[in-house]
Amino acid sequence: MDFYRKSFELIVENQYDLEEKLTQYFELYNFKINRESSNTYTFFKKLSLLDGWKMNPLDWGSRITIIQDSDTLVITYYVSGNSQITPIAFEKLFSEFINNLNLFINGNQNFTQSNALEIALARQKLAKYYLKILLGITFGFIIGFIIENLTSFQYLKTICVFLSFYGTIKLLNHNIIINKTVSD
């Protein structure tokens, strides 16, 4: 499965309470913090077997490394995904998440509504994605059922369901990588 990795640069206008703001922002979304040095922060969520069932891409296994260099923050955002859909499909969510961090740090703007909207849009994309997988599995089941009854091969239905599941995931992820979004 592909992963998402992107770097951002933010200019910090006021460094007075930067560490507190960073911690406050990421802890609101349940990220854990690991302070590596005086100018390096890592916020992370551990990869879990349950990531495939999480409907919020911000809850997937990820790591955000922030390196402070005078008035610039260099942010590297890495998301490993949920083992079914490539996180590249949610590039807009991850970019807006960092953009809202910038607005919070530099302008003390409220970010919760904007992030909530992006999360809701991501959940809709995930629902469409899972619906397409379900349709692929249903199609595989029907084809397998018909062929199994015609040939009397006992496990053909199961093989067709598995192949349609795997093929649908591969096809959808390939389409996402090419188009950078879940198609409607």
Side-chain angles (χ1 to χ4, degrees), residues 46 64 80 124 148:
K46 290 185 178 182
I64 301 169
S80 56
Q124 288 176 352
E148 184 177 295

Side-chain angles (χ1 to χ4, degrees), residues 8 25 90-103 114-115 118:
F8 303 87
Y25 186 83
F90 304 99
E91 184 171 9
K92 185 175 184 283
L93 169 66
F94 303 135
S95 294
E96 285 299 315
F97 186 66
I98 298 301
N99 183 49
N100 288 332
L101 170 65
N102 181 32
L103 295 174
S114 178
N115 282 345
E118 290 300 325

Side-chain angles (χ1 to χ4, degrees), residues 42-69:
T42 300
F43 297 92
F44 64 94
K45 289 192 179 179
K46 290 185 178 182
L47 186 63
S48 163
L49 291 175
L50 299 176
D51 281 356
W53 298 102
K54 294 178 182 173
M55 291 297 287
N56 180 354
L58 291 180
D59 289 338
W60 297 346
S62 57
R63 184 179 65 247
I64 301 169
T65 304
I66 301 174
I67 301 172
Q68 182 181 7
D69 183 22

